[in-house]
Structure formats: structure tokens, C-alpha cells
């Protein structure tokens, strides 16, 4: 979803801002814009270029976009259609104030009406124009007030900072904003609900919604927290709180980003998606690194929960969205099977509004790649309000959720650029296994022998994933067979139901083929009516599955109606060959690793199908990587 980058320093801002926008293209957007100003320029002319469509439309604009202070934005339309007019930056009437915004201002219509009564005219349908003009309104008022006050200390106050505070007190909703005014050599940033991070360089500063935007220049960062206001100059920055009226500065610890820019480059792959699929042996090795201790027969991470709480957990709720919610489903299956703790999985957008039943003996787990998904974040806050203990399984280090949870575990998958999630899913499943072992050991639900076996299997995952990546030619052939189909079914039972869901969403997201997932047993309660000759059905057969025979029967039911059967299987024998049209073989693993292993050929199937259909794989239409609005 929308991306923000701002720069102030001795260099020319335009190329830095343009590269920053390109680094965030993966988030999904429909228009982009840049505004700059020269600190040295006595005329203080503000430059602005906005375009609908790709960031590349902003290339070769160096003559129009001079200056060493600026901000830039990629927009994903919420209020008002994608267009040059609605794109950011937004500005006041004399174009002295420029603002970019991520998030949604919920009460923008009320504010708009008030401002209209004061003579403001609006040219776009966006909530961001309203926020810009609200700040402009207060700015003019504060300037007037400060110029008439005789007290010295009042005169030292910055009218734009005062205006920003006043405006943000009026708004309801979520925002990450960056702005500048032509009369001040500063960037102003504020956050409530949408991520922002300051990049600290040598005599220069950056501010962005994602550190990837400025990682070419610095890895020293400061993550803003909700209600922070940052005033950023060339050589320094000040952090203040919107809640404090005195405007005193806050001190907060800086961080170092622990990945470098190569992590957000394609490294010779045609698409980020393929790169991210192929790097899974490494990302899983990173996730495992130093965490499993075969000597102690334990997992090394801190739960920050008392022994008493862990032993008496009444219920676990796992809340997530999209692909992360399918990892959650796999987790539910395993927790209920191995630990016998009742576990619910619900998508965050439903859970947060259903008046959920939560008690102090419940553990609420949130799973999120980005750590910023608006619904999951809101659910997390709600769970905390109800007094539940919270645990996060999160990829992005320093993200809002990672700072909100009581405790958690980073999946260490590295930056995931393709909108469709792949390596995050497998690392999430691995981390759910860590949690399973940790809880199982403390509660005594798992025996030492079971834990020993699990740990040794988990340590083998990178190698097993490598083997699962071997079916490329066969997968390409299967992709060729399904590429022109209207619809595909993904069937799974037990632990493989979650994988069926993940397989179906992958193909929907990037190849735009309609796909539906069903619990295999549900086929005969409706979906089977749709089957006809050549209808692709993707499913799973694991030899040691107690429901092996039932899986074969489901295949037979579909086959009898002429379906084209693609099976992900951990063996090939004459029985399976007689049932399946295509077998994608994966290594034999216990059920707790099946979602991780069985999903690999389905990621590749989606990728090669989308490629054959000529789809824009890394940035599918209408989708965003990180959904920071409701
Ligand atoms: C978006 C992305 C999905 C992702 C979902 C949840 O819809 O396109 O790939 O699974 O958000 O995101 P999260 O960052 O919370 O895992």
C-alpha cells in the first residue's frame, strides 16, 4: 500500500526520492508524485510532478525537480479514483505546503465541511487534501497569533509545528504523514497507525514508510511510534509527542537495520516472486539459526509468560489476514492435535468486530508478515484491552505489531517484495512449530522423545525444501495445461486444508484464474456439480496420512467426472499413477512440516501459470503488499 519517502541534506533530493519510490513499488500503488525545494534558493519555489501509473513515469524530471529537500509518495487509491489529481503530494492554495499521507482520515467529510465554511475550496476527492488544508488553516492562524504575541518564548515557537499538532488533534483515523513548508528548511513527520521510520545519515536525514526506501544511504534508523511528531533537519532531528502540550523532546533508542540492499534486489531472477520462492532454503535456515538446541532438547526464545499461565491456557486465538491466516490454520491443526488446547483461527477483519470472547487465561497470537496490517493490528490492540496475553509471529523487525505484542518471534524471512507471500508463509509455519514445541515442553504435552524427533526434523527443513524445489519442468508442464482454464479447485483434508487455501489464493492473486479451496469431504456437498471434463483439481496425498484412503476416494470422485488431477504427493506408485494426471513429488515429512513442504510446488505452479498468462507477477492488479487501511 502507499509508500512515503522524504529527504533533507546536501545532495540533490530527486534521484534519492525516485529510487526510494522504486524500492517501495512492491507495496502496490496506482499513481506517484514528488515535490522538492532548494534550501539555498531565495525564491523558494516549490517543484511538483505527479503522474498516474508507474513510478517510471517520474523518470527524467531532474530539471523540474531541483532542490535538496523533498518528499515523494506512491498512492493506492482509497478516497477518489486513481488519477494525477488525486495523487500525492497534496498542497494548499499557494502551493507553499506539501504533504504526503498513508492511511485514512475517517472524519474528513466533517472537517471538509467546516473548512468550506471558512472559504476553502477542494479540488480532489481525497481525505489527504482535507488534512493538508486543515494544517494550512491552523498554520495561518498560528502565524497570526504568534506575530501578535509579545512574549519571546512564544515567538520562538514554530507555527507549523503548532498547526500540525492542532490539526492532528482534530482528526480521527490513521496516518503516517510527511510535510514541508517552503519557508522552513525542515521536514515534519507524524504517525498514528501507519508506519514511518527516520533514516539517520551523515549530515542528511530520510523519512520513509519502509527503510528499504533509503537503505542505499543508511542503516541507522529510528522507528516512529504512534503519536510521535518528528521535526527533521539536515543535521539533526527532534522527536516530540502529540500528547505532550509543552513540546518537550523525547529521547528514543535508534536501531540498525540488519539486512542490506541486496535483499531487496532481484539478483538475476526475472521476478521477486521466483527469487523469494527459490531462497526459501536460506530463509528457513535463517529462521532456524541458533534457535533449536538439540543438547537441551529445547527451542531458544522467550515467551514472557508465567509457568502457571502456560500450564493453564484455556484457549488460543490466532488472528491474521490473507496468507498469514492460512499459516494460522495449520497452526490450529497442530496445536489442537499435539497440545489439545482449543484453538480458534479467525481473520482479523471479522474477529475485531464480533465482540470476541477473550479471557485472561487466553493466549492471542497474531501472525503478520508486515506487522502493519490494519485489521490485525486493531485485533491485537483489542485483545490487549481485554487483558489477554499476546504473542506475535512477525517478519518486519521494528514493525508496529512487533512493538505492541507482549512477546513474540521474528520469522527472519528478510524483506518480502512480491505482493503474493511465499517465503513468509513457510517461515511462519516453521515458527508455529517452534511455539508448538515450546508450549508442549513446558506443559508436558510432548514427550522428550517426541521433541527430539521434531527438532531433528525441523533442522532438516532447508534441505527438504531444496528437494521440493526440484519439480520445475513438471510444474511448467502442469502450468501449461491449466493456464487457459476458467477455474481450479484446491482440495485438502486435515493439515492439508490450510495448504489448499494457500495454493488457491496464490493462483488467484497472481494469475487471476478463479480458484476455490474446499475441505475434500465437502466436494460432494455442492462443488462437485461444477466438475466437467478437463476441470483442474489440485490435491495432496501423503502416504502415512491416516486418511490416505479417503484422499484417494476424493480424487476418484473428481476423476470420475473428468477432472484433470494434479497431486502433490510424497511418493509415486502405481495406485497414485492410475489416479493422477500429474504428480508433483515432495519429500516425505511428518504432518507438522507438510504445510511448509507441500506448498512449495503450488507456489511454483502459480508463478509459472501467471508467467504463461503474461501477468504482472510481482505487483498484481488491485492488491497491496501491506494493507494498512481497513
Ligand atoms: C495482503 C498481502 C498478502 C498478505 C496479507 C496479510 O493482502 O497481499 O500477501 O498475506 O496482506 O498481510 P500480513 O503482512 O499481515 O501478513
Amino acid at each position: 500500500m502507499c509508500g512515503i519517502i522524504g529527504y533533507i541534506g546536501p545532495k540533490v533530493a530527486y534521484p534519492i526520492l525516485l529510487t526510494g519510490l522504486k524500492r517501495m513499488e512492491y507495496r502496490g500503488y496506482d499513481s506517484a508524485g514528488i515535490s522538492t525545494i532548494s534550501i539555498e534558493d531565495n525564491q523558494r519555489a516549490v517543484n511538483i510532478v505527479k503522474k498516474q501509473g508507474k513510478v517510471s513515469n517520474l523518470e527524467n524530471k531532474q530539471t523540474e525537480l531541483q532542490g535538496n529537500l523533498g518528499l515523494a509518495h506512491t498512492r493506492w487509491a482509497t478516497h477518489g479514483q486513481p488519477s494525477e489529481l488525486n495523487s500525492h503530494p497534496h498542497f494548499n492554495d499557494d502551493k507553499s505546503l506539501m504533504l504526503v499521507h498513508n492511511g485514512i482520515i475517517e472524519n474528513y467529510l466533517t472537517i471538509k465541511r467546516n473548512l468550506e465554511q471558512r472559504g476553502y475550496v477542494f479540488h480532489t476527492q481525497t481525505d489527504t487534501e482535507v488534512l493538508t488544508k486543515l494544517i494550512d488553516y491552523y498554520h495561518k492562524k498560528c502565524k497570526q497569533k504568534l506575530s501578535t504575541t509579545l512574549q519571546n518564548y512564544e515567538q520562538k515557537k514554530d507555527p507549523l509545528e503548532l498547526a500540525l499538532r492542532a490539526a492532528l488533534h482534530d482528526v480521527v483515523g490513521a496516518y503516517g504523514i510527511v510535510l514541508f513548508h517552503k519557508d522552513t528548511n525542515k521536514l515534519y513527520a507524524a504517525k498514528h497507525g501507519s508506519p514511518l521510520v527516520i533514516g539517520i545519515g551523515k549530515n542528511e536525514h530520510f523519512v520513509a514508510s519502509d527503510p528499504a526506501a533509503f537503505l542505499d544511504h543508511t542503516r541507522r534508523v529510528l522507528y516512529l511510534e504512534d503519536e510521535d511528531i518528528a521535526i527533521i533537519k539536515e543535521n539533526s532531528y527532534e522527536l516530540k509527542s502529540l500528547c505532550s502540550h509543552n513540546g518537550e523532546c523525547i529521547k528514543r533508542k535508534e536501531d540498525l537495520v540488519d539486512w542490506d540492499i541486496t535483499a531487496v534486489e532481484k539478483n538475476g531472477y526475472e521476478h521477486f516472486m521466483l527469487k523469494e520462492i527459490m531462497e526459501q532454503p536460506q530463509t528457513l535456515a535463517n529462521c532456524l539459526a541458533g534457535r533449536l538446541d538439540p543438547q537441551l532438547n529445547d527451542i531458544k526464545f522467550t515467551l514472557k509468560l508465567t509457568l502457571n499461565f502456560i500450564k493453564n491456557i484455556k484457549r488460543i486465538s490466532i488472528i491474521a489476514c490473507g496468507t498469514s491466516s492460512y499459516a494460522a490454520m495449520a497452526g490450529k491443526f497442530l496445536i489442537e492435535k499435539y497440545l489439545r488446547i482449543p484453538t480458534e483461527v479467525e481473520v482479523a477483519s471479522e474477529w475485531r468486530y464480533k465482540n470476541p470472547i477473550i479471557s485472561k487465561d487466553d493466549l492471542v497470537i497474531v501472525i503478520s508478515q508486515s506487522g502493519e496490517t490494519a485489521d490485525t493490528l486493531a485485533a491485537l490492540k483489542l485483545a490487549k484491552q481485554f487483558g489477554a496475553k499476546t504473542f506475535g509471529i512477525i517478519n518486519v523487525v521494528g514493525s508496529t505489531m512487533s512493538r505492541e505484542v507482549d512477546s513474540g518471534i521474528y520469522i527472519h524471512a528478510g524483506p518480502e517484495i512480491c505482493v503474493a507471500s511465499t517465503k513468509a508463509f513457510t517461515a511462519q509455519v516453521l515458527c508455529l512449530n517452534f511455539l508448538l514445541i515450546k508450549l508442549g515442553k513446558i506443559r508436558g504435552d510432548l514427550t522428550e522423545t517426541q521433541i527430539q524427533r521434531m527438532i531433528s526434523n525441523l533442522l532438516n527443513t532447508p534441505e527438504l525444501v531444496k528437494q521440493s524445489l526440484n519439480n520445475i519442468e513438471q510444474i511448467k508442464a502442469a502450468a501449461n495445461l491449466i493456464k487457459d482454464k476458467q477455474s481450479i479447485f484446491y482440495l485438502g483434508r486435515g493439515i492439508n486444508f490450510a495448504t489448499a487455501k494457500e495454493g488457491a489464493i496464490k493462483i488467484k492473486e497472481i494469475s487471476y484464474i478463479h480458484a476455490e479451496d474446499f475441505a475434500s469431504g465437502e466436494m460432494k456437498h455442492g462443488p462437485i456439480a461444477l466438475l466437467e471434463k478437463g476441470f483442474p483439481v489440485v490435491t495432496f496425498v501423503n502416504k502415512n496420512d491416516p486418511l490416505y484412503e479417503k484422499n484417494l476416494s476424493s480424487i476418484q470422485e473428481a476423476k470420475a467426472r473428468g477432472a484433470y488431477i494434479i497431486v502433490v504427493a510424497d511418493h509415486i506408485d502405481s495406485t497414485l499413477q492410475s489416479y493422477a494426471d500429474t504428480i508433483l513429488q515432495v519429500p516425505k515429512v511428518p504432518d507438522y512440516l507438510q504445510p511448509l513442504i507441500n506448498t512449495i510446488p503450488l507456489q511454483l505452479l502459480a508463478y509459472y501459470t501467471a508467467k504463461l498468462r503474461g501477468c504482472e507477477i510481482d505487483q498484481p492488479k488491485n492488491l497491496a503488499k501491506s494493507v494498512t487501511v481497513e
Side-chain angles (χ1 to χ4, degrees), residues 9-176:
K11 297 177 192 148
V12 179
Y14 166 68
I16 295 171
L17 299 174
L18 187 68
T19 311
L21 288 185
K22 286 185 177 166
R23 298 248 183 254
M24 293 184 291
E25 278 193 292
Y26 72 94
R27 298 169 73 93
Y29 67 98
D30 47 58
S31 53
I34 302 182
S35 176
T36 60
I37 186 169
S38 281
I39 299 178
E40 306 302 327
D41 180 8
N42 290 336
Q43 306 294 313
R44 308 206 67 81
V46 178
N47 317 302
I48 179 161
V49 179
K50 309 204 280 183
K51 294 282 172 204
Q52 190 179 341
K54 292 286 163 198
V55 169
S56 56
N57 296 337
L58 295 172
E59 278 168 3
N60 304 318
K61 303 284 179 212
Q62 46 277 19
T63 37
E64 289 135 280
L65 288 167
Q66 292 181 4
N68 39 12
L69 187 165
L71 41 77
H73 187 264
T74 44
R75 171 176 187 254
W76 190 85
T78 53
H79 296 73
Q81 65 196 32
S83 70
E84 194 169 308
L85 190 67
N86 285 337
S87 64
H88 303 206
H90 283 272
F91 38 79
N92 57 352
D93 285 345
D94 64 4
K95 293 195 179 165
S96 56
L97 178 69
M98 293 283 152
L99 180 141
V100 291
H101 164 222
N102 287 357
I104 288 181
I105 306 301
E106 287 167 16
N107 59 339
Y108 81 108
L109 281 176
T110 320
I111 298 173
K112 191 173 183 175
R113 261 177 235 123
N114 287 339
L115 288 172
E116 276 167 345
Q117 280 164 12
R118 295 187 156 93
Y120 276 87
V121 177
F122 291 87
H123 308 287
T124 77
Q125 299 122 351
T126 65
D127 52 343
T128 307
E129 188 189 7
V130 175
L131 178 58
T132 311
K133 291 186 172 165
L134 182 66
I135 296 170
D136 179 65
Y137 164 74
Y138 280 119
H139 188 215
K140 289 188 171 121
K141 243 175 95 167
C142 292
K143 272 205 302 198
Q144 207 177 20
K145 191 171 163 218
L146 292 181
S147 68
T148 53
T149 166
L150 293 171
Q151 283 159 326
N152 267 342
Y153 79 91
E154 280 286 305
Q155 279 170 355
K156 278 190 202 139
K157 283 191 175 167
D158 172 354
L160 190 51
E161 184 192 328
L162 295 178
L164 184 59
R165 284 174 176 279
L168 295 179
H169 276 297
D170 285 358
V171 304
V172 176
Y175 55 79

Side-chain angles (χ1 to χ4, degrees), residues 172-444:
V172 176
Y175 55 79
I177 55 171
V178 178
L179 59 134
F180 73 80
H181 189 278
K182 78 176 181 57
D183 293 338
T184 61
N185 291 332
K186 298 173 196 169
L187 282 168
Y188 298 76
K191 165 182 161 32
H192 177 85
S194 282
L196 277 181
V197 54
I198 299 176
I200 304 140
K202 211 169 165 222
N203 303 324
E204 61 183 355
H205 283 95
F206 308 79
V207 57
S209 48
D210 181 337
F214 55 67
L215 224 54
D216 296 311
H217 306 277
T218 182
R219 286 160 79 166
R220 253 180 86 195
V221 296
L222 184 123
Y223 294 99
L224 295 194
E225 292 184 4
D226 278 355
E227 272 57 76
D228 277 353
I229 295 182
I231 297 137
I232 307 164
K233 299 185 212 159
E234 212 174 323
N235 295 311
S236 63
Y237 68 87
E238 285 176 347
L239 202 60
K240 300 183 176 185
S241 169
L242 190 58
C243 308
S244 137
H245 294 290
N246 307 330
E248 68 265 23
C249 292
I250 308 169
K251 284 260 167 291
R252 181 142 345 110
K253 202 178 136 281
E254 294 172 3
D255 279 297
L256 263 192
V257 174
D258 63 357
W259 41 273
D260 65 33
I261 208 65
T262 55
V264 289
E265 284 170 345
K266 284 189 195 148
N267 294 346
Y269 284 98
E270 195 179 343
H271 296 100
F272 279 110
M273 181 173 187
L274 189 58
K275 177 194 167 216
E276 286 161 7
I277 293 173
M278 290 304 181
E279 72 189 9
Q280 288 176 105
Q282 187 54 51
T283 53
L284 294 166
N286 295 346
C287 182
L288 283 162
R291 281 178 166 161
L292 302 194
D293 190 335
Q295 252 79 51
L296 287 177
N297 210 25
D298 201 0
I299 309 277
K300 287 194 243 167
F301 71 88
T302 321
L303 265 174
K304 290 198 196 149
L305 298 170
T306 63
L307 213 61
N308 192 38
F309 176 85
I310 294 174
K311 291 201 161 161
N312 292 300
I313 297 175
K314 291 277 173 299
R315 199 167 54 136
I316 295 180
S317 299
I318 318 183
I319 316 298
C321 297
T323 285
S324 299
S325 74
Y326 305 140
M329 282 183 65
K332 167 188 160 74
F333 181 92
L334 298 173
I335 291 168
E336 290 191 332
K337 174 174 172 183
Y338 289 97
L339 310 183
R340 309 301 295 156
I341 305 174
T343 302
E344 68 160 352
V345 169
E346 195 142 344
V347 287
S349 54
E350 286 296 315
W351 192 83
R352 61 182 287 200
Y353 290 120
K354 73 167 189 183
N355 191 10
I357 303 166
I358 316 173
S359 87
K360 290 200 168 42
D361 300 326
D362 287 0
L363 177 63
V364 173
I365 301 174
V366 289
I367 306 184
S368 175
Q369 186 286 126
S370 61
E372 303 292 349
T373 302
D375 283 319
T376 313
L377 186 57
L380 170 61
K381 288 183 175 166
L382 188 67
K384 286 176 74 177
Q385 272 169 30
F386 277 99
K389 294 275 179 298
T390 58
F391 183 84
I393 298 180
I394 293 161
N395 190 30
V396 177
V397 176
S399 55
T400 311
M401 274 183 235
S402 74
R403 282 177 279 125
E404 285 276 339
V405 286
D406 295 324
S407 61
I409 183 166
Y410 282 123
I411 65 173
H412 291 317
E416 194 179 58
I417 305 294
C418 177
V419 166
S421 185
T422 51
K423 60 177 182 170
F425 176 81
T426 48
Q428 285 164 349
V429 173
L430 191 57
C431 285
L432 281 160
N433 270 284
F434 296 164
L435 188 64
L436 186 75
I437 297 177
K438 191 86 187 167
L439 291 176
K441 187 171 174 93
I442 300 173
R443 291 164 52 89

Side-chain angles (χ1 to χ4, degrees), residues 481-482 485 487 531-537 561-565:
L481 275 157
I482 62 172
K485 300 290 181 187
S487 196
L531 290 187
E532 57 187 18
K533 195 168 168 17
F535 193 115
V537 171
R561 272 91 189 165
Y564 178 83
I565 310 288

Side-chain angles (χ1 to χ4, degrees), residues 393-617:
I393 298 180
I394 293 161
N395 190 30
V396 177
V397 176
S399 55
T400 311
M401 274 183 235
S402 74
R403 282 177 279 125
E404 285 276 339
V405 286
D406 295 324
S407 61
I409 183 166
Y410 282 123
I411 65 173
H412 291 317
E416 194 179 58
I417 305 294
C418 177
V419 166
S421 185
T422 51
K423 60 177 182 170
F425 176 81
T426 48
Q428 285 164 349
V429 173
L430 191 57
C431 285
L432 281 160
N433 270 284
F434 296 164
L435 188 64
L436 186 75
I437 297 177
K438 191 86 187 167
L439 291 176
K441 187 171 174 93
I442 300 173
R443 291 164 52 89
D445 298 321
L446 296 171
T447 64
E448 288 300 312
T449 319
Q450 263 179 314
I451 294 174
Q452 204 170 22
R453 208 174 310 124
M454 287 172 110
I455 288 183
S456 102
N457 281 326
L458 259 49
L459 283 169
N460 216 9
T461 8
E463 183 49 39
L464 295 164
V465 169
K466 221 180 261 171
Q467 290 168 29
S468 314
L469 288 165
N470 278 341
N471 292 311
I472 304 285
E473 287 318 310
Q474 245 184 322
I475 291 172
K476 282 184 180 170
N480 202 35
L481 275 157
I482 62 172
K483 73 175 195 307
D484 298 317
K485 300 290 181 187
Q486 298 271 308
S487 196
I488 307 175
F489 282 176
Y490 284 73
L491 307 183
R493 233 177 248 279
I495 187 89
N496 281 319
F497 183 35
T499 320
K501 286 189 160 294
E502 174 52 15
I505 201 169
K506 220 71 315 162
I507 205 132
K508 270 188 266 202
E509 282 176 311
I510 61 162
S511 76
Y512 313 139
I513 299 179
H514 170 250
E516 277 198 68
D517 49 82
F518 299 105
S520 307
E522 277 295 294
M523 265 286 282
K524 51 188 164 307
H525 298 293
I528 203 163
L530 298 174
L531 290 187
E532 57 187 18
K533 195 168 168 17
F535 193 115
V537 171
V538 181
T539 190
F540 311 88
V541 178
N542 292 97
K543 190 77 185 189
N544 296 333
D545 189 337
L547 300 175
Y548 167 77
E549 298 289 348
K550 293 203 187 302
N551 287 330
L552 288 185
S553 314
S554 302
I555 296 177
Q556 219 167 15
E557 270 168 25
K559 183 113 188 119
R561 272 91 189 165
Y564 178 83
I565 310 288
I566 300 172
V567 178
V568 176
D570 58 5
H571 63 288
I572 297 184
D573 59 18
S574 53
T575 315
L576 199 59
Q577 276 167 329
S578 69
Y579 284 60
D581 296 291
T582 295
I583 302 173
L584 305 175
Q585 198 177 356
V586 290
K588 203 170 264 145
V589 294
D591 57 0
Y592 48 86
L593 282 180
Q594 281 170 17
L596 198 156
I597 297 298
N598 288 351
T599 203
I600 305 281
L602 302 187
Q603 296 172 344
L604 287 165
L605 184 66
Y607 173 78
Y608 286 112
T609 308
K611 197 168 163 215
L612 287 171
R613 286 166 66 88
C615 300
E616 208 165 320
I617 293 177

